[in-house]
Amino acid sequence: MPLTNDQPEATPAATYKRVMLKISGEALMGDQGYGLHPPTVQRIAQEVKSVRDMGVEICMVIGGGNIFRGLSGSAQGMERTTADYMGMLATVMNALAMQSALEENGVFTRVISAIRMDEVAEPYIRRRAVRHLEKKRVCIFAAGTGNPYFTTDTAATLRANEMACEAIFMGKNGVDGVYDKDPALHDDAVRYDEISYDEVLAKRLKVMDASAIALARDNNLPLMVFPLDEPGGFRGILAGKGTYTKVHG
């Protein structure tokens, strides 16, 4: 029976029931060179809501590079451990901004921090986080792993495994997947539809840091790299459409 104007389009079934969405802090900057761009945060929140409305349970990890990047601070002479902790605090700020945007869209959200700051976020307790997901709340994991020398890529992979996620979705701005070289610098760059973890490590492709890729490989956790700035891209992949690269065993 064809749809009429009075009949909303049916929500497609999702290919995964529980996923991790990893985005960089820079994704929240929009066209700015620093900080948060509220319309961009709202747009990403609406993308997350559209996927949540498909019945998918969603975890998130957001980087902090739009505010402070620990490795850059260390390169400028700051003691590495201190710089990394500052970067972790930046991720908490981004998580709170995303929580606010999601809740404005009617999505119940919990920020869960690996570093205790009880006034603004819950401490990380695995069973409690799983229960939030079962209640269809979005869980944003902040402050990385709580340890210096580990990136938010590694934190996302760790939490995805702990939460029994079926895949990690890595949203990239301006890139529609994994290439053999930087497509912004090389016109002959070739995009992969699929690639193995071992190839990513052997070719030193800048998808995630090596420890995160190894952790995903060892636990057979697929990674989907997709364009975050493409409207409906996140939802499209979960509906079996869209452009992306799948990294798997």
Side-chain angles (χ1 to χ4, degrees), residues 53-137:
D53 289 346
M54 295 172 70
V56 180
E57 297 170 3
I58 303 173
C59 307
M60 292 183 71
V61 168
I62 307 172
N66 57 319
I67 299 171
F68 187 87
R69 185 179 292 278
L71 202 56
S72 296
S74 176
Q76 295 176 34
M78 186 177 293
E79 193 266 326
R80 173 65 188 269
T81 301
T82 299
D84 279 358
Y85 277 120
M86 291 174 67
M88 291 179 217
L89 296 179
T91 72
V92 177
M93 295 172 68
N94 285 338
L96 292 173
M98 183 59 65
Q99 179 186 41
S100 176
L102 284 166
E103 292 187 341
E104 283 179 24
N105 283 278
V107 179
F108 292 109
T109 309
R110 296 292 184 271
V111 173
I112 302 170
S113 175
I115 298 174
R116 290 193 72 106
M117 44 187 77
D118 296 345
E119 287 76 14
V120 297
E122 291 185 8
Y124 177 68
I125 300 171
R126 188 184 69 83
R127 287 179 178 270
R128 181 187 291 176
V130 169
R131 186 62 179 144
H132 287 321
L133 292 172
E134 291 170 348
K135 291 182 177 180
K136 307 305 179 185
R137 297 166 181 160

Side-chain angles (χ1 to χ4, degrees), residues 175-235:
V175 182
D176 59 356
V178 178
Y179 286 77
D180 64 342
K181 60 187 79 170
D182 190 341
L185 302 176
H186 303 277
D187 293 335
D188 60 343
V190 177
R191 191 181 72 83
Y192 299 99
D193 287 326
E194 294 187 26
I195 189 169
S196 71
Y197 303 114
D198 288 336
E199 286 181 278
V200 169
L201 291 171
K203 296 178 180 178
R204 298 188 177 184
L205 302 179
K206 295 180 179 179
V207 182
M208 279 182 160
D209 64 80
S211 59
I213 289 292
L215 183 59
R217 178 194 61 192
D218 293 347
N219 291 277
N220 197 30
L221 183 65
L223 169 66
M224 312 293 186
V225 182
F226 73 100
L228 187 65
D229 48 1
E230 180 180 306
F234 185 24
R235 177 185 171 90

Side-chain angles (χ1 to χ4, degrees), residues 28-46:
L28 306 184
M29 291 193 305
D31 295 329
Q32 303 173 159
Y34 177 82
L36 292 160
H37 184 238
T40 299
V41 178
Q42 273 290 344
R43 179 184 62 78
I44 295 172
Q46 289 163 6

Side-chain angles (χ1 to χ4, degrees), residues 129-179:
V130 169
R131 186 62 179 144
H132 287 321
L133 292 172
E134 291 170 348
K135 291 182 177 180
K136 307 305 179 185
R137 297 166 181 160
V138 173
C139 289
I140 307 176
F141 296 102
T145 65
N147 301 289
Y149 294 94
F150 289 94
T151 67
T152 51
D153 286 347
T154 301
T157 310
L158 174 64
R159 298 295 184 231
N161 280 303
E162 289 179 308
M163 295 297 107
C165 291
E166 297 172 345
I168 300 175
F169 283 74
M170 174 163 277
K172 298 275 191 180
N173 277 346
V175 182
D176 59 356
V178 178
Y179 286 77

